[in-house]
Amino acid sequence: MFSKLFKATLITFCIFVFVFANALNAKEHPSLILTKEGVEKIRDNLGKVPLFDATVEKIKAEVDKEIALGIDTPIPKDFSGGYTHYRHKQNFVIAQQAGALYQILQDEKYAIYVRDMLLQYEAMYKDLPVHPQVRSYAPGKLFWQCLNDSNWLVFMSQAYDTIYDFLSSEEREKLENNLFRPFADYISLANPAFYNRIHNHSTWGNAAVGMIGLVMDDQALIQRALYGIQDDGLAVGGVDDDGGTIKSENQKRGFLANLEEPFSPDGYYTEGPYYQRYAMYPFLIFATAMQNKLPEYGVLQHKDNVLLKGIDALLNLTDADGDFFPLNDGQKGMSYFTPSLVTAVNIGYYYGNQNPELLSIAEKQNEVLLDQTGLAVAIGVQANMAEPYTKHSVNLSDGANGDEGGVAVLRSGQEDLTAVFKYAAQGLSHGHYDKLSFSLYRKGTEVLQDYGLVRFVNVGQKGGGNYLKENASWAKSTIAHNTLSQNQEMHFGGDYKTGSQHHSDLHFYADHDEKVQVASALETNAYPGTRMHRTIAFINANDFSEPFMLDIMKVSAKKAHDYDLPFYYFGQVIQTNFDYIKPSSLSPLGDKNGYQHLYLEATGKPSADTTQFSWLHEGKFYTLSTLTAPSDEILMTRIGANDPDFNLRSEPGVMLRRNNTQDTVFVTIVEPHGSYSPVTELSLNSNSAIKSLELLHDDKAYTAVRIEDVKGKTQLFVVSNLDAEKTREHTLTIGSKNYRWEGPYAYITAP
Amino acid sequence: MFSKLFKATLITFCIFVFVFANALNAKEHPSLILTKEGVEKIRDNLGKVPLFDATVEKIKAEVDKEIALGIDTPIPKDFSGGYTHYRHKQNFVIAQQAGALYQILQDEKYAIYVRDMLLQYEAMYKDLPVHPQVRSYAPGKLFWQCLNDSNWLVFMSQAYDTIYDFLSSEEREKLENNLFRPFADYISLANPAFYNRIHNHSTWGNAAVGMIGLVMDDQALIQRALYGIQDDGLAVGGVDDDGGTIKSENQKRGFLANLEEPFSPDGYYTEGPYYQRYAMYPFLIFATAMQNKLPEYGVLQHKDNVLLKGIDALLNLTDADGDFFPLNDGQKGMSYFTPSLVTAVNIGYYYGNQNPELLSIAEKQNEVLLDQTGLAVAIGVQANMAEPYTKHSVNLSDGANGDEGGVAVLRSGQEDLTAVFKYAAQGLSHGHYDKLSFSLYRKGTEVLQDYGLVRFVNVGQKGGGNYLKENASWAKSTIAHNTLSQNQEMHFGGDYKTGSQHHSDLHFYADHDEKVQVASALETNAYPGTRMHRTIAFINANDFSEPFMLDIMKVSAKKAHDYDLPFYYFGQVIQTNFDYIKPSSLSPLGDKNGYQHLYLEATGKPSADTTQFSWLHEGKFYTLSTLTAPSDEILMTRIGANDPDFNLRSEPGVMLRRNNTQDTVFVTIVEPHGSYSPVTELSLNSNSAIKSLELLHDDKAYTAVRIEDVKGKTQLFVVSNLDAEKTREHTLTIGSKNYRWEGPYAYITAP
């Protein structure tokens, strides 16, 4: 038996030889994604590599079913969610797969299917008007927006490449002149507002034009893909359907610009993981096609391999079930099981450094690409090379240069507790007004949620599957997030342009100590005149059965304001240490800025300095302990007011309200504990281990929190508010005690 | 290799020989549950039967951990959910297991542990006063209610039996005189109101007294167990904490009476599956002990093997995940993974007819009893004898003689769709006022729910883990169920005594045709002067992708009333074909009878004869189509009003309101269709296949409903309202057409 290391080296070497050998045959077909050599290797291995064979079988079954149904290219009519939308989408997916099957199985029926479908499109496209549903800033022809037309071309380019040699030159000419070139021109030259942006829309558009350009060996299209339309005639300004900027001052354009700007050097994509997952496909597929056909451009390696880094960043932005954190506009439930992540994992493995941890994701996906990358992954899996993809804490910068804030993900244990702390930039048009917000997970379960978006993607009955108006009025609002609202206003007044000029800043990030992990960040622009400094720490204390989260939000303001700090939990209220009153009728908490969507379910007053609120969710108890002043209020809320079409989810929150206050510190512990099973009916460890919190010290330089547990043991956590140098020595006297430590925070047991 | 049949026969024969051989040695120990021969056989097989060995390992680990912690028998103080409650409960569980381990592993440390624990109890019990938390109608000593004390004795009797021979006669005398006999007397003679009822409480009490009687060979206790206290001095009347009757006119008493009365001949237990699961343990364990020690009484075979039938009935009252339907007071999530169902499955297999389908449940439970029954199951599993436990439609009668209504469970496919139709008797003190209600499941997912109980069992923070006041004000109420409310009143005026005098009646049940399955039942007493006739049919129509449920509720009243028919769904509203208005504030729908707990979220008016309401839940679309008159209202509701302690779950409902009407028919179709995945973002078949419903005919004798689908095809369903004879020939003329059929219903396609 070969050793694992030897096998890995061998695979790496073979791939290396393969990648370079391939680049020599740029004009043969297929050569875009699937290559001639790739096909040969695949055919040599057919029936020998279980994961690959299973994928072939699965896709063959799907494609055969579609072939049996017959080709349908209906006259475009519907929004997403409707039949014509679904059918054209299904067509390009199936055509791409059928093309791959033709190459792999060498059964002409697949080539005939693709050819006939393309010819039907050719016949229709010539005279096709703009899509009748004119709601987009850039309507497509097959679909209601150019974006979906671009999806079509990205996939159909691959299909065309695989059957290129099967077609007669007359057929090719017909398709290229009447379908592909006009199609590429329509989504680019005819729609510069769509094509020339820095936006995932343009990435799809650029990739589409570039892919078909590569297949047709059309240099003009390739250049247009890489560098955009040189003179687009667009004025600076203008917004799309979601309020996103179309053209800003000195805006770059084209695929490479789209690769440079939204990706940080760490591979974080400024729109957030939901859109990164979506954009990843055109990014990777066109970069791979360029690698295969024009490697000298170095597109796949551009910006210090940022695309390959992006794959890792994206996988790190998932919970234990593989679901992406729904930062900004993100539909919950989207996960690394989506086809674009199969693409990402396969390409990342093959063109990256054959990280064996990627193989374990591929095992879970239980599917590979039908090309040489998928074969390599399947061979790696078969060779038992897979190692668990272990997610650690990670800090990802935002901004093209990595200097526009970021996202910190703290993880404890095997994702037993995960906090996602967002101190990023606005995130383009899909950004939310949620500076310094966080969400909390236990394995794959949301504990304190980020609401995500208000949209039922592709569910036609819900506004054509598009963004619903509550996305702007609720989901983007500040109060919809686990962060501070001031005077019931949104960060940046909810103004996109202002928000886009600013970002939060990292104070420090420290994950070297499994016992205490800390992320600390500042926001000074969201509310002019108010400085917010939030520090989130995971503390794995000796006397606690499980780690807890400490959250310190220090507010320094030029004048007094009203503050609200909400926490959106799930489950059933179990206990509070304060009294509350439930009104007989539920009314909205406010009339704008998201408050209009919250019902006020109860109002409480603290009965102690440490206010506690416990709940039960999916068999786990949680307690939120927070430092309160006697004049504070605790509001219990529920989402769903002023929601005429039932677009919102009815979910609860608990909010700390502190009115008419200038400088203040919010100190909160969120603590998972114990368990409940409806089968054993055992309620274990159902009480909080926290007895009290105390703000032992707070000034410009230091904030110190003392935590006493129910056994009477104490812990002290100190954060240095001004100086975040790793090696700085600090001394602080509190009462009669002197504390001395190095670095931006101190954690002291039995202080 | 032996054939499966041969193996099954061999196993059956061995068990047969074994059961009878065992009965000859009634006075040796252990002989109660674990027998001497059983121990020998187990020891012969140790290390050879994986499932049994795994259980031994698992339980050994648990017991060893407890032994390491040391014995603690604290002075009783807490309610359920508190420490002393938990500790004493844990003690009896562990002692019973330690006793079994002593026999199986013959390691004296287990016997010493049990002995020392029992002696500590002996030392404490002598002078122990009644439990300080006096809230029960029958307070215990170790626990706040005699019920839990009885649990203790049922388990400790087994522990005692296993170490009987290990103890000196002095130790035995001490334990019997100072602990066991006084303990048995306290829960029986000192608490006849607890002991002499027809109720699961008394079953536990009877079994406890009987078990210890058998170990001590005390005939007086055994007789007291079987036949109750002859002269209990109790007056007729009196109620327990839950409002349940303590003594009724001519009430029988004792274990056998408790076996006769609440069980129907089909094995349905009138309180419902949640309590049947609870009562099953003492029923089976004492019946097994009697079988082992005094088989001549035939307790296990009593009432035509009703206990063994009860096991099958109970397993049939679960959804596809094994969760019990929460009929009456039932805590959701309780399932056949609970230890008492391991007992039931093991005993049912061993003492029943070795049904190989039970083995597949045992495989899922992944645990067996540490006795000869568990060994037999584990051997069966090892021999690959297990066959899938396939649940079919089933109709279970209620009432001691099977003539007090019942519960019909309609199932389609592999539990793809399951309707639980309740036309039963009141169900003793845990019964709900929900005549002719139903709930609907898709596999293990609730589609239209039965709310269950309002209680957080053993969660001390929630009212000591006991029933909460919203259990009576909401959970038991009529409007909390998917059935008809008249004039916003509860069935029987919510009066337990009245409700207990009546039951619904089966009209007919037919499950012979997988295409059309029907259950039809009548209720004439819930609202005096009003006759409700509900027919629930599963129709597997040719042109539909999935089966749907047709629900016909025919109401015949002596005068006009206001009717409400609610459906409690889960998930997100997707579409309605009617307009509705959402008020700016949410107010309760009423002020009593459960209505005070419903917020009115929206009010709609029908815009067509067929009103449609669609929702999305866990990736599946559902549409409710219902026949409406222009004056009907559609109310959208949410549970949670007037709930000062957040004891209720915030969950939605949609309600059809038809005011000031005398005779009427409610016709509704509930139709699962299509799917939605947040990963593929594909919305498939998201629209209802129903175009319209029509009440084509309705009179005293026949009700006929015409269903037209979106393709224009029609179906006709006719129910015979008066004559339910299977072989009766019917003719009916509707318009110009004559229909002729045999039996109580007709299903005609393309009528």
Side-chain angles (χ1 to χ4, degrees), chain A residues 86 89 274 277 331-335 337-339 456-459 461-462 572-575 580 582-588 599 601-602 616 621 636 638 640 643-650 676 678-684 686-687, chain B residues 86 89 274 277 331-335 337-339 456-459 461-462 572-575 580 582-588 599 601-602 616 621 636 638 640 643-650 676 678-684 686-687:
Chain A
Y86 164 78
K89 187 174 172 184
Y274 177 74
R277 161 281 324 176
Q331 173 155 281
K332 288 186 181 177
M334 179 54 77
S335 73
F337 293 98
T338 191
F456 296 75
V457 183
N458 289 326
V459 178
Q461 296 97 326
K462 285 288 199 184
Q572 207 75 23
V573 177
I574 290 297
Q575 198 174 30
Y580 52 82
K582 293 189 75 174
S584 57
S585 291
L586 301 189
S587 298
Y599 287 117
E601 285 201 324
L616 173 63
F621 293 99
M636 287 144 93
R638 181 166 289 278
D643 172 27
D645 301 316
F646 289 95
N647 291 334
L648 298 175
R649 303 188 304 268
S650 171
Y676 184 76
V679 176
T680 64
E681 293 187 340
L682 280 179
S683 165
L684 298 173
S686 64
N687 289 302
Chain B
Y86 163 77
K89 186 173 172 183
Y274 178 74
R277 163 277 329 176
Q331 173 155 283
K332 288 186 182 179
M334 179 56 77
S335 73
F337 293 97
T338 191
F456 296 76
V457 182
N458 288 326
V459 178
Q461 296 97 324
K462 285 288 198 185
Q572 207 75 23
V573 178
I574 291 297
Q575 197 175 29
Y580 51 83
K582 292 189 76 174
S584 57
S585 292
L586 302 189
S587 298
Y599 286 117
E601 286 200 322
L616 173 63
F621 293 99
M636 287 144 94
R638 182 166 288 279
D643 172 28
D645 301 317
F646 289 96
N647 290 335
L648 298 175
R649 303 188 304 267
S650 172
Y676 184 76
V679 176
T680 63
E681 294 187 337
L682 280 179
S683 164
L684 299 172
S686 64
N687 289 303

Side-chain angles (χ1 to χ4, degrees), chain A residues 344-530:
Chain A
V345 165
N346 289 201
I347 290 178
Y349 179 78
Y350 188 83
Y351 292 101
N353 56 356
Q354 290 77 58
N355 176 2
E357 294 194 2
L358 290 176
L359 298 178
S360 71
I361 306 271
E363 282 182 314
K364 286 187 189 169
Q365 290 171 333
N366 199 27
E367 189 173 342
V368 291
L369 293 183
L370 289 190
D371 61 21
Q372 54 279 3
T373 70
L375 182 68
V377 166
I379 288 174
V381 166
Q382 188 185 19
N384 279 322
M385 308 281 304
E387 288 175 15
Y389 191 91
T390 308
K391 287 178 237 165
H392 305 283
S393 296
V394 65
N395 186 37
L396 300 168
S397 63
D398 191 7
N401 301 313
D403 56 1
E404 299 177 27
V407 172
V409 183
L410 297 182
R411 291 191 167 95
S412 182
Q414 302 297 307
E415 303 181 65
D416 298 318
L417 203 60
T418 301
V420 186
F421 181 32
K422 182 169 179 250
Y423 62 96
Q426 182 65 27
L428 304 183
S429 62
H430 292 296
H432 288 190
Y433 298 94
D434 65 337
K435 296 292 153 192
L436 306 188
S437 74
F438 79 99
S439 54
L440 190 69
Y441 291 77
R442 183 173 168 269
K443 298 278 189 192
T445 299
E446 293 178 273
V447 177
L448 296 172
Q449 72 162 324
D450 183 333
Y451 189 89
L453 48 64
V454 182
R455 180 182 178 186
F456 296 75
V457 183
N458 289 326
V459 178
Q461 296 97 326
K462 285 288 199 184
N466 300 310
Y467 281 97
L468 298 165
K469 65 181 191 301
E470 292 79 12
N471 194 61
S473 62
W474 166 252
K476 282 178 181 259
S477 77
T478 303
I479 197 63
H481 297 84
N482 302 314
T483 190
L484 195 76
S485 282
Q486 177 180 291
N487 302 331
Q488 305 198 16
E489 283 163 5
M490 283 164 71
H491 294 169
F492 308 109
D495 183 62
Y496 172 65
K497 214 169 150 185
T498 310
S500 299
Q501 289 158 10
H502 300 288
H503 55 81
S504 306
D505 284 297
L506 184 67
H507 184 51
F508 69 91
Y509 170 82
D511 67 2
H512 57 277
D513 180 3
E514 164 74 6
K515 232 176 143 69
V516 186
Q517 302 181 71
V518 192
S520 183
L522 295 156
E523 172 56 48
T524 54
N525 299 297
Y527 295 120
T530 299

Side-chain angles (χ1 to χ4, degrees), chain A residues 711-731:
Chain A
K711 292 175 190 155
K713 297 196 177 169
T714 55
Q715 311 164 49
L716 185 68
F717 183 86
V718 191
V719 60
S720 161
N721 294 325
L722 300 175
D723 192 328
E725 273 298 311
K726 258 188 197 165
T727 53
R728 185 83 68 226
E729 289 223 346
H730 297 271
T731 56

Side-chain angles (χ1 to χ4, degrees), chain A residues 507 520 522 531-535 551-557 563 627 658 661-667 694-706 716-722 731-735 739 741:
Chain A
H507 184 51
S520 183
L522 295 156
R531 180 186 197 266
M532 298 187 277
H533 180 184
R534 192 171 211 171
T535 302
D551 168 27
I552 303 173
M553 172 68 95
K554 179 176 167 68
V555 186
S556 317
Y563 300 113
L627 210 51
R658 187 169 297 165
T661 302
Q662 193 167 346
D663 293 354
T664 190
V665 184
F666 292 88
V667 179
E694 196 183 340
L695 188 62
L696 217 54
H697 181 94
D698 182 56
D699 63 14
K700 265 198 147 153
Y702 302 105
T703 300
V705 174
R706 184 176 172 277
L716 185 68
F717 183 86
V718 191
V719 60
S720 161
N721 294 325
L722 300 175
T731 56
L732 176 64
T733 306
I734 305 177
Y739 299 98
W741 74 93

Side-chain angles (χ1 to χ4, degrees), chain B residues 269-379:
Chain B
Y269 187 72
T270 194
E271 293 189 286
Y274 178 74
Y275 277 95
Q276 179 166 0
R277 163 277 329 176
Y278 186 62
M280 236 23 212
Y281 186 80
F283 271 125
L284 285 172
I285 212 77
F286 181 56
T288 299
M290 286 294 292
Q291 178 71 24
N292 286 338
K293 301 207 66 149
L294 299 168
E296 59 273 24
Y297 280 81
V299 173
L300 192 56
Q301 295 78 28
H302 198 72
K303 195 174 173 173
D304 195 18
N305 290 308
V306 75
L307 281 178
L308 298 174
K309 287 181 187 165
I311 296 171
D312 218 47
L314 198 43
L315 291 172
N316 265 293
L317 291 168
T318 62
D319 67 18
D321 293 342
D323 287 13
F324 297 116
F325 303 131
L327 299 172
N328 295 326
D329 288 342
Q331 173 155 283
K332 288 186 182 179
M334 179 56 77
S335 73
Y336 61 46
F337 293 97
T338 191
S340 69
L341 266 284
V342 175
T343 301
V345 166
N346 288 199
I347 290 177
Y349 180 77
Y350 187 85
Y351 293 101
N353 55 357
Q354 290 78 58
N355 176 1
E357 295 193 3
L358 290 177
L359 298 178
S360 71
I361 306 271
E363 281 182 313
K364 287 187 188 169
Q365 291 170 335
N366 199 27
E367 190 175 340
V368 292
L369 293 182
L370 290 189
D371 62 20
Q372 53 279 2
T373 70
L375 181 69
V377 166
I379 287 174

